[in-house]
Amino acid sequence: MGHVRLQAITWERLGDLLAERLLDLKPDDGSPWPRIAFDGAPAARPGELAHRVSEALRIRGRSSLVVGTEGFLRPSSVRLEYGREDAESYYDGWFDTGALWREVFGPLEPGGDGRVLPDLWDPATDRATRSPYVQLPPNSPLLLHGPFLLRHWFPFDLSVHVLLSPGALRRRTPEAEHWTLPAFARYETETDPGAAADVLVRADDPRHPAWNG
């Protein structure tokens, strides 16, 4: 990632500043729907930042849709084919990227109809969620959060990576999930999300985040 200058900020202020940036964001491909990544390990809680930005947009009169990739897990028969604690499977096979392309990104392409499926699969019941489609109005951002987002060539118009140092990631990941840590080390090596993202947020101390502005 190299040396990046970061400045302290509050989560509330960060949400406001990101929302302000999204108000004027125009996708380069001509789509009327900005597509934003909130990338990070579950321990970094990128979904909380996505929801914070969504609320800041709502206050400013702009609708948005928050989607989490945990709603697009593959069925357990596929996900757990090599066991419940296989880091390689977690990295390469847990998330249904094909469904994300089809149900989330496809409808938001130029000429799309804006009808997005907010989730597809419930890992608790291992059944389809059967959630209704959501009609996203033009100029309303998609706020997608989850791990490993920047390795799939998804058409993001702005990407935010919530970074944890290896030590912080280990401390904040429940011990029962420590088997996932090699997947995040691989992601760091192969993708370098801190350098690839447009916005970097460091959250080693969840009370005192810092960002690259």
Side-chain angles (χ1 to χ4, degrees):
M1 183 178 67
H3 180 70
V4 178
R5 292 180 61 89
L6 300 176
Q7 56 186 344
I9 194 170
T10 65
W11 289 112
E12 182 178 12
R13 179 63 174 157
L14 179 59
D16 287 340
L17 289 175
L18 288 173
E20 292 288 345
R21 185 176 298 190
L22 298 188
L23 291 176
D24 298 321
L25 182 62
K26 303 297 181 185
D28 290 337
D29 65 0
S31 169
W33 300 283
R35 295 143 298 191
I36 318 304
F38 290 85
D39 177 63
R45 301 177 180 175
E48 291 186 6
L49 181 55
H51 281 284
R52 187 180 293 276
V53 172
S54 180
E55 176 61 16
L57 286 168
R58 186 193 65 80
I59 293 171
R60 290 161 173 79
R62 181 71 60 84
S63 61
S64 62
L65 177 64
V66 178
V67 174
T69 59
E70 73 272 10
F72 286 85
L73 291 175
R74 290 191 168 99
S76 62
S77 60
V78 178
R79 207 168 66 243
L80 307 179
E81 180 180 2
Y82 298 101
R84 294 182 175 274
E85 298 185 358
D86 188 272
E88 295 299 308
S89 294
Y90 179 61
Y91 188 69
D92 285 321
W94 273 44
F95 298 95
D96 193 341
T97 55
L100 284 165
W101 278 106
R102 182 178 66 252
E103 303 291 358
V104 178
F105 290 104
L108 303 182
E109 293 177 349
D113 61 12
R115 293 180 70 249
V116 174
L117 190 65
D119 52 59
L120 179 65
W121 199 259
D122 185 343
T125 62
D126 205 32
R127 296 177 182 272
T129 57
R130 303 190 185 281
S131 296
Y133 284 85
V134 175
Q135 184 67 53
L136 195 58
N139 300 316
S140 300
L142 165 75
L143 309 177
L144 181 70
H145 64 87
F148 315 131
L149 291 181
L150 304 184
R151 62 179 292 253
H152 296 297
W153 300 101
F154 289 140
F156 292 119
D157 303 295
L158 185 76
S159 56
V160 180
H161 177 64
V162 186
L163 173 70
L164 295 179
S165 67
L169 178 60
R170 175 171 287 274
R171 289 193 304 273
R172 292 175 57 185
T173 298
E175 187 172 352
E177 298 172 15
H178 276 191
W179 63 270
T180 64
L181 296 178
F184 293 107
R186 178 180 171 187
Y187 182 52
E188 184 70 29
T189 298
E190 294 184 354
T191 305
D192 193 1
D198 300 303
V199 177
L200 177 64
V201 180
R202 187 157 200 140
D204 285 3
D205 183 344
R207 301 165 298 176
H208 303 292
W211 78 318
N212 63 350

